[in-house]
C-alpha cells in the first residue's frame, strides 16, 4: 500500500482537526478523504499498547520487554541497539502501531532523576549515537519513532510546569546535542516536546526551540507532538511549530477561528497539517501488512543478547568470577527470585515471558541454596530473614547476592529521595561479609546508587541496571562465563550524592530549577575538579584484558583530525573492549571548559591475542565550544590533547594536535578590553602601532610599566581615558579608527 495525501484537498475544519489526536492513542482520521488515523503508543524499550484505547493506565498487551536505556546504554554497541529497534518495530507492525513513543535522550543531570532508567547517559554524544541506532532500527521497518522530550526534561519534580533556567551554552553543549545528532542522522518521524518550560516558555509553544532551532537550523521536516497534556494554547503552539496536540482537547474551533480572524496564518496551518499527512503516508506500507506475526523466540534471543551486553563488571577481586556449574555457591536476595527488570510509569511493559536468576539456574540443572534475605517493601528488616541468609551463606564458598532498588523507588512522576539502596540490604551485605563467604553482588537499579558504603565487602560487583524480561538468563550467562562482560558505565557512580555538581540546584523550587553547574555535568565535573568517584564514566571490567597503544594523530584542515589506535586482547578468552576518545583543550580559553570530553568511541570484539586498528575522524565539533558571544560554535586555535583509553579515568595513550581554529574572531569596539585587543590578530598590531607611535611620555610610561599593563588588562578602551588622560584616549581613538578601516577593507 502506498499513499500520498495533499493538504490542498482539505477544508479548513479538516486541516484543523489533523492537529489534534483522534483519541488518546490515535492520530485524527478523515475517512471521507481516505486519511487513516494510525495508532501511536508508548515505548521506549518495548511496545506498551493499552488493552483499551480510552485510558492511559490500563493493562497493556504482552510484548517483549527489552532492557531499558539505563541498561542498554552501557552496551556502547550501536549495532546491537539497532537490532533491538528492528525487533520493536516488528511488534508494532503486528499490533498496527504506526509510531512508537521513544527514545528519550534527556541527559542524566542528577542521579535522583526518577525517569533516568528511560534515558541514556550523562554524556550527549553517547546518548545521541545510541538513540540514533534505535531510531534507525525501528524506522528501517517502516514504523515511526518519537524523539523525546524536547527539551531540558531532566527531573520529575514539578515536571508539568517547572521552568528550567539554563544557559545558552549549556543547552547547546549538553542538553541539545543528542537531539541534534538523531535529527541530522536518522530523521525521526516525530519529535515530542516536554512538559516543562525552558527559560520561562513552555516547550509546546517555544518558537525558539521548535522552529528556529529544530526546523530552521537543523532542517527537521517531520511532526512535533506534545507530551500528553502539555499543550496549553493550541494557537500559540501551532504558531511556534507544534503539529499535534495529544490527547485531543476537542478545541479545533480555536484553530479555525484564529485563521479566519487573521491571528494565525493559514499557510502555517497548511505546513503543519501537511507534515501530519506525510506521517500518515509513511506509516501506510507497514500498517497494510495484515496478518503479520513476529517470532517471539527470536525477540527473546535479542533481548537476552542485549541484557548480556548491558551488564557492567565493576569489581572482580582474585578472579572470583566467572563461576563454573560445579562451584559451591549460594544465592541470597529477593531480586534473584523476583527480578527488577524495568521502571514504573508510561513505559511499563507487560512481558511475553520472564526469567529470574533462579529460573535460569533451573534451566541449567543447577540446584543452589537460596534465601530471600529481605522483602521488597518498606517494612523494617525481618531478623529471621537475616539469620536465614547468614546461615545459608556460611555453608558455601561463594554467595551471589542480589540487591538494588525496589520498583516503587523509580518511576515516571517523581524523583528519588536518596542514592542509597535500602538500609536493610546494606546491613545484610555487611553481615554476609562477616560470615567469610566470597560475595558476588549483582545490582538492579535504573540510575546510579551509592556503592562506597559497602563495596569493600564485595569480591565482585556486577552493575545489572534494569535488564528486561531476559535478564535472569543473561545474568547466568555472564556469571558462568558463557560470555565475557563488556558493558561500560554510561553514568558515573559518585562516592556520595553531595558530590554531584547539580546537588544544590536539584530539583529547584517555586516553579524554577537553575542549571547552575552549566556544562559541568557528570564526568565533565568530576574529572575537571579531580573529585573522587566510586566508578568513573566509561568504566567496565572484563574476564580478559586489553592493551590500547600505537596512537597516531594527524590534523586535517583547520579544525579536524584523523586518529588511529590499536587495541589488542592480551588475555586468555574472547571479549570486547570499547575504545574511548576524549579531547582535552590545552591552552587558556575565554570560557571555562571541561578537562576533557568524549568525542568518539568504538566497541571492538577480539579473540585472545588478536589486534585491530581503530580509526576516528574528528570534525570541528570535536574541538568546539558554544560561544555565547558569537551565538555559534567556535574552534579556538591551539593545542588539544587526544586521549584514548577504556574510561574517562583510564587513559592509555595521549598525543597533542595543533588546530588552526576557525578564525572566527569577535569584532572589536571601544568596549572591548585591552586584553581582547591584544589577543586579536587584527587589533593587536594596530593598537601596538598606535601606542608605539605616540610621543606622549604618559603613554610610553604605561608601556614600560608591567604593573600598569597588568592593571589595565580588563579595562575597556573607552575607560582607559579616565586613568590615562587625553593622550591615552587619543591612542585608543586612533587604533579604533584604523581597526574599522581594516575590517571594512577585508569585507570588500
Amino acid at each position: 500500500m502506498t499513499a500520498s495525501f495533499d493538504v490542498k484537498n482539505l477544508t479548513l475544519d479538516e486541516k484543523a482537526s489533523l492537529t489534534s489526536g483522534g483519541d488518546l492513542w490515535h492520530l485524527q482520521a478523515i475517512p471521507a478523504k481516505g486519511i487513516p488515523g494510525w495508532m501511536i503508543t508508548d515505548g521506549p524499550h518495548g511496545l506498551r499498547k493499552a488493552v483499551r484505547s480510552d485510558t492511559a493506565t490500563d493493562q497493556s498487551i504482552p510484548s517483549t520487554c527489552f532492557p531499558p536505556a539505563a541498561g542498554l546504554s552501557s552496551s556502547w554497541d550501536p549495532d546491537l541497539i539497532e537490532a533491538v529497534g528492528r525487533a520493536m518495530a516488528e511488534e508494532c507492525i503486528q499490533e498496527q502501531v504506526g509510531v512508537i513513543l521513544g527514545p528519550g535522550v534527556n541527559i542524566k543531570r542528577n542521579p535522583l532523576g526518577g525517569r533516568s532508567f528511560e534515558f541514556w547517559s550523562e554524556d550527549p554524544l553517547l546518548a545521541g549515537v545510541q538513540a540514533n541506532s534505535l531510531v534507525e532500527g525501528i524506522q528501517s521497518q517502516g514504523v515511526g519513532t518519537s524523539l523525546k522530550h524536547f527539551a531540558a526534561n531532566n527531573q520529575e519534580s514539578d515536571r508539568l510546569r517547572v521552568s528550567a533556567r539554563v544557559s545558552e551554552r549549556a543547552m547547546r553543549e549538553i542538553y541539545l546535542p543528542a537531539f541534534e545528532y538523531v535529527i541530522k542522522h536518522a530523521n525521526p518521524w516525530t519529535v515530542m516536546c516536554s512538559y516543562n518550560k525552558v527559560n520561562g516558555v513552555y516547550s509546546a509553544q517555544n518558537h525558539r526551540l521548535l522552529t528556529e532551532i529544530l526546523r530552521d537550523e537543523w532542517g527537521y521536516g517531520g511532526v512535533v507532538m506534545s507530551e500528553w497534556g502539555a499543550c496549553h494554547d493550541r494557537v500559540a503552539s501551532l504558531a511556534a511549530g507544534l503539529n499535534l496536540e495529544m490527547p485531543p482537547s476537542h478545541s479545533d474551533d480555536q484553530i479555525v477561528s484564529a485563521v479566519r480572524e487573521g491571528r494565525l496564518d493559514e499557510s502555517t496551518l497548511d505546513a503543519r497539517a501537511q507534515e501530519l499527512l506525510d506521517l500518515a503516508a509513511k506509516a501506510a506500507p507497514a500498517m497494510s501488512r495484515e496478518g503479520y506475526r513476529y517470532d517471539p523466540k527470536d525477540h527473546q534471543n535479542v533481548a537476552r543478547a542485549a541484557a548480556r551486553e548491558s551488564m557492567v563488571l565493576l569489581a572482580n577481586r582474585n578472579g572470583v568470577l566467572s563461576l563454573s556449574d560445579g562451584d559451591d555457591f549460594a544465592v541470597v536476595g529477593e531480586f534473584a527470585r523476583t527480578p527488577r527488570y524495568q521502571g514504573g510509569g508510561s513505559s511499563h511493559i507487560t512481558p511475553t515471558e520472564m526469567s529470574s536468576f533462579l529460573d535460569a539456574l533451573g534451566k541449567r540443572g543447577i540446584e543452589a541454596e537460596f534465601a530471600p534475605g529481605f522483602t521488597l517493601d518498606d517494612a523494617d528488616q525481618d531478623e529471621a530473614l537475616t539469620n536465614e541468609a547468614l546461615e545459608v551463606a556460611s555453608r558455601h564458598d561463594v554467595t551471589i547476592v542480589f540487591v538494588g532498588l525496589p520498583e516503587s523507588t523509580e518511576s515516571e512522576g517523581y524523583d528519588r529521595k536518596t542514592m542509597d539502596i535500602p538500609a536493610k540490604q546494606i546491613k545484610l551485605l555487611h553481615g554476609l561479609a562477616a560470615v567469610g563467604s566470597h560475595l558476588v553482588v549483582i545490582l538492579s537499579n535504573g540510575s546510579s546508587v551509592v556503592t562506597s558504603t559497602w563495596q569493600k565487602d564485595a569480591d565482585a560487583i556486577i552493575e545489572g541496571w534494569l535488564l528486561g524480561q531476559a535478564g535472569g538468563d543473561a545474568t547466568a550467562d555472564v556469571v558462568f562465563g558463557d560470555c565475557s562482560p563488556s558493558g561500560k558505565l554510561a553514568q558515573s557512580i559518585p562516592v556520595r550524592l553531595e558530590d554531584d555538581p547539580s546537588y544544590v540546584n536539584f530539583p529547584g523550587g517555586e516553579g524554577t530549577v537553575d542549571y547552575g553547574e552549566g556544562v559541568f555535568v557528570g564526568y565533565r565535573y568530576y574529572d575537571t575538579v579531580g573529585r573522587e568517584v566510586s566508578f568513573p564514566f566509561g568504566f567496565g571490567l572484563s574476564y580478559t584484558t586489553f592493551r590500547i597503544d600505537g596512537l597516531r594523530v594527524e590534523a586535517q584542515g583547520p579544525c579536524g583530525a584523523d586518529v588511529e589506535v590499536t587495541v589488542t586482547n592480551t588475555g586468555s578468552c574472547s571479549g570486547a573492549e570499547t575504545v574511548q576518545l576524549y579531547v582535552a583543550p590545552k591552552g587558556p580559553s575565554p570560557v571555562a571548559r571541561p578537562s576533557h570530553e568524549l568525542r568518539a568511541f568504538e566497541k571492538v570484539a577480539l579473540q585472545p591475542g588478536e589486534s585491530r586498528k581503530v580509526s576516528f575522524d574528528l570534525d570541528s565539533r570535536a574541538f568546539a565550544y558554544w560561544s555565547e558571544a558569537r551565538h555559534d560554535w567556535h574552534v579556538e586555535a591551539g593545542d588539544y590533547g587526544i586521549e584514548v583509553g577504556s574510561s574517562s579515568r583510564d587513559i592509555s595513550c595521549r598525543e597533542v594536535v595543533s588546530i588552526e581554529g576557525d578564525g572566527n574572531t569577535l569584532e572589536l569596539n571601544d568596549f572591548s578590553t585591552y586584553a581582547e585587543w591584544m589577543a586579536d590578530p587584527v587589533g593587536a598590531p594596530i593598537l601596538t602601532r598606535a601606542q608605539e607611535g605616540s610621543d606622549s611620555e604618559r603613554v610610553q610610561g604605561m608601556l614600560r610599566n608591567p604593573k600598569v599593563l597588568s592593571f589595565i588588562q580588563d579595562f575597556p578602551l573607552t575607560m582607559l581615558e579616565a586613568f590615562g588622560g587625553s593622550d591615552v584616549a587619543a591612542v585608543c581613538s586612533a587604533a579604533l579608527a584604523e581597526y574599522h578601516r581594516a575590517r571594512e577593507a577585508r569585507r570588500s
Side-chain angles (χ1 to χ4, degrees), residues 393-411:
S394 69
R395 293 193 286 268
H396 300 276
D397 296 334
V398 175
T399 302
I400 306 175
V401 191
F402 287 76
V403 296
L405 297 177
E407 184 173 1
S408 61
T409 62
E410 292 183 293
S411 174

Side-chain angles (χ1 to χ4, degrees), residues 285-467:
M287 295 301 95
S288 67
R289 297 175 64 179
E290 297 180 4
Y292 174 83
R293 291 291 179 267
Y294 71 90
D295 184 348
K297 291 183 178 179
D298 178 62
H299 288 197
Q300 177 73 1
N301 290 336
V302 173
R304 183 169 178 171
R308 284 197 298 262
E309 299 297 304
S310 297
M311 283 178 271
V312 183
L313 182 62
L314 297 179
N316 194 20
R317 290 204 297 267
N318 301 316
V320 65
L321 290 178
S322 60
L323 302 179
S324 66
D325 292 354
D327 284 339
D328 176 35
F329 67 91
V331 179
V332 169
E334 184 58 46
F335 289 114
R337 179 171 61 184
T338 309
R340 170 85 195 289
Y341 60 96
Q342 63 178 327
S346 63
S347 68
H348 199 277
I349 290 165
T350 302
T352 56
E353 59 178 280
M354 274 300 305
S355 70
S356 70
F357 185 73
L358 295 184
D359 293 334
L361 293 183
K363 294 174 187 176
R364 291 170 176 262
I366 299 174
E367 294 184 5
E369 196 170 6
F370 168 71
F374 52 84
T375 59
L376 298 180
D377 55 22
D378 294 331
D380 293 337
Q381 176 66 336
D382 184 339
E383 290 305 315
L385 292 177
T386 299
N387 294 333
E388 178 192 15
L390 297 178
E391 290 176 8
V392 167
S394 69
R395 293 193 286 268
H396 300 276
D397 296 334
V398 175
T399 302
I400 306 175
V401 191
F402 287 76
V403 296
L405 297 177
E407 184 173 1
S408 61
T409 62
E410 292 183 293
S411 174
E412 177 184 3
Y414 52 86
D415 293 318
R416 288 160 56 195
K417 302 301 182 185
T418 175
M419 272 191 72
D420 295 320
I421 62 175
K424 59 186 176 183
Q425 297 183 30
I426 297 175
K427 184 177 180 181
L428 177 62
L429 283 172
H430 292 328
L432 291 169
V435 168
S437 178
H438 294 296
L439 294 190
V440 174
V441 175
I442 298 178
L443 287 166
S444 298
N445 47 285
S447 182
S448 291
V449 296
V450 168
T451 62
S452 58
T453 55
W454 53 264
Q455 67 189 55
K456 291 182 179 179
D457 292 338
D459 294 280
I461 304 172
I462 293 177
E463 174 55 271
W465 301 114
L466 303 178
L467 297 176

Side-chain angles (χ1 to χ4, degrees), residues 424-667:
K424 59 186 176 183
Q425 297 183 30
I426 297 175
K427 184 177 180 181
L428 177 62
L429 283 172
H430 292 328
L432 291 169
V435 168
S437 178
H438 294 296
L439 294 190
V440 174
V441 175
I442 298 178
L443 287 166
S444 298
N445 47 285
S447 182
S448 291
V449 296
V450 168
T451 62
S452 58
T453 55
W454 53 264
Q455 67 189 55
K456 291 182 179 179
D457 292 338
D459 294 280
I461 304 172
I462 293 177
E463 174 55 271
W465 301 114
L466 303 178
L467 297 176
Q469 68 181 51
D473 289 325
T475 302
D477 293 340
V478 170
V479 166
F480 294 108
D482 296 349
C483 62
S484 178
S486 62
K488 299 283 186 176
L489 291 178
Q491 182 182 16
S492 305
I493 302 180
V495 173
R496 56 183 194 145
L497 174 62
E498 291 81 356
D499 293 336
D500 185 86
S502 65
Y503 175 72
V504 297
N505 286 315
F506 183 92
E510 296 187 334
T512 62
V513 53
D514 289 313
Y515 284 45
E517 68 281 359
V519 301
F520 292 91
V521 176
Y523 76 90
R524 284 171 167 78
Y525 169 76
Y526 299 129
D527 293 357
T528 299
V529 303
R531 180 79 69 201
E532 180 185 359
V533 295
S534 292
F535 299 99
F537 175 81
F539 178 80
L541 302 175
S542 171
Y543 293 155
T544 189
T545 55
F546 299 93
R547 182 180 67 247
I548 299 173
D549 58 11
L551 177 62
R552 293 195 307 105
V553 183
E554 182 178 351
Q556 292 294 327
C559 300
D562 289 343
V563 180
E564 184 179 84
V565 71
T566 299
V567 56
T568 304
N569 183 340
T570 58
S572 58
C573 69
S574 61
E577 176 65 293
T578 299
V579 181
Q580 302 166 40
L581 187 155
Y582 297 81
V583 171
K586 290 297 184 183
S589 174
V591 298
R593 301 189 68 173
S595 60
H596 61 183
E597 298 176 274
L598 181 73
R599 293 308 194 207
F601 65 90
E602 184 171 337
K603 190 169 189 175
V604 183
L606 299 168
Q607 296 297 318
E610 183 182 4
S611 296
R612 189 175 305 170
K613 291 186 182 298
V614 179
S615 299
F616 302 106
D617 297 325
L618 301 180
D619 61 13
S620 62
R621 283 287 287 273
F623 302 95
Y625 72 90
W626 182 265
S627 169
E628 294 192 356
R630 296 168 177 81
H631 301 290
D632 200 357
W633 295 100
H634 176 50
V635 180
E636 297 177 88
D639 291 340
Y640 292 81
I642 304 299
E643 305 177 346
V644 182
S646 56
S647 81
S648 73
R649 296 263 175 117
D650 187 3
I651 302 301
S652 302
C653 41
R654 294 176 170 88
E655 291 288 345
V656 174
V657 62
S658 294
I659 297 297
E660 295 178 20
D662 57 24
N664 182 9
T665 59
L666 292 171
E667 186 167 353

Side-chain angles (χ1 to χ4, degrees), residues 192-331:
M192 182 190 294
C193 73
S194 57
Y195 283 116
N196 55 278
K197 300 173 187 174
V198 178
N199 294 322
V201 182
Y202 278 113
S203 295
Q205 54 198 64
N206 195 314
H207 189 272
R208 174 67 177 153
L209 280 176
L210 303 188
T211 294
E212 295 175 37
I213 293 176
L214 180 62
R215 296 187 185 278
D216 296 344
E217 184 180 326
W218 296 349
Y220 183 64
V223 166
V224 180
M225 70 174 72
S226 74
E227 175 65 283
W228 266 232
C231 184
H232 304 292
D233 183 329
R234 287 192 64 189
V235 175
S237 292
L238 202 64
L242 190 82
N243 297 80
L244 179 64
E245 171 203 46
M246 288 299 294
S249 61
H250 309 293
S251 57
D252 296 344
D253 59 308
Q254 294 178 8
I255 304 299
V256 173
S257 296
V259 171
R260 288 176 175 163
E261 295 167 7
R263 292 182 289 111
L264 179 68
D265 196 315
E266 189 166 2
S267 65
T268 298
L269 174 60
D270 288 350
R272 301 292 84 87
Q274 185 61 59
E275 287 154 355
L276 285 158
L277 293 175
D278 294 342
L279 173 63
K282 282 191 287 191
M287 295 301 95
S288 67
R289 297 175 64 179
E290 297 180 4
Y292 174 83
R293 291 291 179 267
Y294 71 90
D295 184 348
K297 291 183 178 179
D298 178 62
H299 288 197
Q300 177 73 1
N301 290 336
V302 173
R304 183 169 178 171
R308 284 197 298 262
E309 299 297 304
S310 297
M311 283 178 271
V312 183
L313 182 62
L314 297 179
N316 194 20
R317 290 204 297 267
N318 301 316
V320 65
L321 290 178
S322 60
L323 302 179
S324 66
D325 292 354
D327 284 339
D328 176 35
F329 67 91
V331 179

